[in-house]
Amino acid sequence: MSVTVSVELTDSQALALAQFVKRVGWHEFLACAVDEDEAYAIRSAVDRVQRALAEQGYSPR
């Protein structure tokens, strides 16, 4: 099952979120997950958000 999420962000919110998803990593995913499977699912979802932001021009270096 797929879920589509639409959200409106200001320019500064989109840039801040893009910076965040660039910086967050495995340690944080694992710390917030109940187990490794969930951490992998979180990482996958964050990767998708990062790609969606990049497609809209928010891909910080």
Side-chain angles (χ1 to χ4, degrees):
M1 179 176 145
S2 291
V3 175
T4 300
V5 177
S6 292
V7 62
E8 283 191 35
L9 301 171
T10 65
D11 183 63
S12 62
Q13 289 171 327
L15 182 56
L17 184 57
Q19 290 287 0
F20 175 76
V21 298
K22 174 185 135 189
R23 294 177 182 142
V24 69
W26 180 250
H27 177 76
E28 291 82 11
F29 302 147
L30 195 54
C32 294
V34 296
D35 58 22
E36 277 195 8
D37 287 341
E38 187 175 62
Y40 282 111
I42 293 167
R43 183 176 72 176
S44 177
V46 169
D47 288 346
R48 288 176 179 247
V49 169
Q50 189 172 24
R51 280 193 303 273
L53 285 163
E55 289 171 5
Q56 293 301 313
Y58 295 92
S59 184
R61 296 176 193 240

